[in-house]
Amino acid sequence: MTSREYEKVLLFTGVLSSIGFPETLRNSLEERFGRIVYTSKSIPFDFTSYYDEEMGGGIERFFLAFSPLVSPDGLREAKLFTNRLESVYAEGGSRRVNLDPGTLSVSNIVLATTKNRAHRIAIGDDLYAEVTLIYHHKGFESFSWTYADYRSKEVQEILFDMRRMYLGLLKEERVVR
């Protein structure tokens, strides 16, 4: 049996921050994941109060995408790295930055998480992955477990921008092969 490579995906991270986007954070992410090729606008994170006690007020949500495209099986390593990086910016044991890496492919968005639920698949090191959205009939479709912000029009517009960019990068990569 011959093995095939996975189709490359766009690695991205959703960022929740109560301290903005420090240059040192940018540098650490680029050193590990490659050049940041997309930075979304920041939007107030008012979809839930889940992080308010830990992170304080004024939480902003934005997204970053990286180049080059990667194999989707690197999501576990990405989450391990972002977990360590979150602790660098913690104050008094509370995070000020929450980094949620994910992959964007032609057909879906997969997020990594530390929390086990019935719909999540173990990916090693006590981490899990979930299909958060699928791309179907020219739009994203959510599930009962999809986070409220990922269901929102604002975030889906960002994801559409990232998907257009991904398709362009994927096309370039296929031409180069």
Side-chain angles (χ1 to χ4, degrees):
M1 182 165 139
T2 7
S3 66
R4 291 186 314 178
E5 287 184 24
Y6 292 116
E7 182 167 67
K8 299 282 176 101
V9 295
L10 182 70
L11 178 67
F12 72 92
T13 189
V15 181
L16 293 176
S17 178
S18 59
I19 59 169
F21 188 28
E23 191 65 27
T24 54
L25 176 58
R26 170 184 285 279
N27 293 341
S28 294
L29 289 167
E30 286 191 317
E31 282 177 27
R32 175 64 175 86
F33 298 136
R35 186 170 51 96
I36 295 173
V37 293
Y38 179 85
T39 304
S40 76
K41 66 180 180 181
S42 289
I43 56 176
F45 188 75
D46 54 10
F47 301 95
T48 177
S49 59
Y50 181 84
Y51 297 98
D52 290 353
E53 186 176 332
E54 178 183 14
M55 297 182 72
I59 301 171
E60 295 288 319
R61 158 67 88 195
F62 61 96
F63 292 85
L64 307 168
F66 304 93
S67 178
L69 300 179
V70 298
S71 177
D73 61 1
L75 186 56
R76 179 181 61 85
E77 288 299 322
K79 183 63 174 169
L80 288 170
F81 175 78
T82 58
N83 283 353
R84 289 190 302 271
L85 195 54
E86 286 176 353
S87 67
V88 170
Y89 294 92
E91 296 175 12
S94 294
R95 293 179 296 176
R96 296 295 173 244
V97 174
N98 178 337
L99 302 167
D100 291 316
T103 59
L104 185 150
S105 73
V106 170
S107 59
N108 63 31
I109 290 177
V110 175
L111 297 179
T113 181
T114 59
K115 299 171 199 80
N116 188 14
R117 300 289 184 269
H119 63 280
R120 295 180 176 157
I121 305 298
I123 57 174
D125 293 304
D126 204 25
L127 299 174
Y128 303 87
E130 73 171 32
V131 175
T132 298
L133 296 167
I134 61 170
Y135 188 81
H136 188 248
H137 295 300
K138 300 183 182 180
F140 288 110
E141 293 182 15
S142 62
F143 302 96
S144 60
W145 59 78
T146 301
Y147 297 115
D149 54 335
Y150 278 80
R151 291 180 187 193
S152 75
K153 182 178 183 217
E154 291 170 303
V155 169
Q156 288 200 6
E157 285 173 0
I158 291 167
L159 298 173
F160 275 117
D161 286 346
M162 289 194 326
R163 187 174 188 277
R164 279 189 288 277
M165 187 190 62
Y166 163 69
L167 293 174
L169 292 170
L170 190 60
K171 185 177 180 179
E172 286 175 22
E173 186 170 290
R174 287 176 177 163
V175 168
V176 172
R177 282 189 196 178

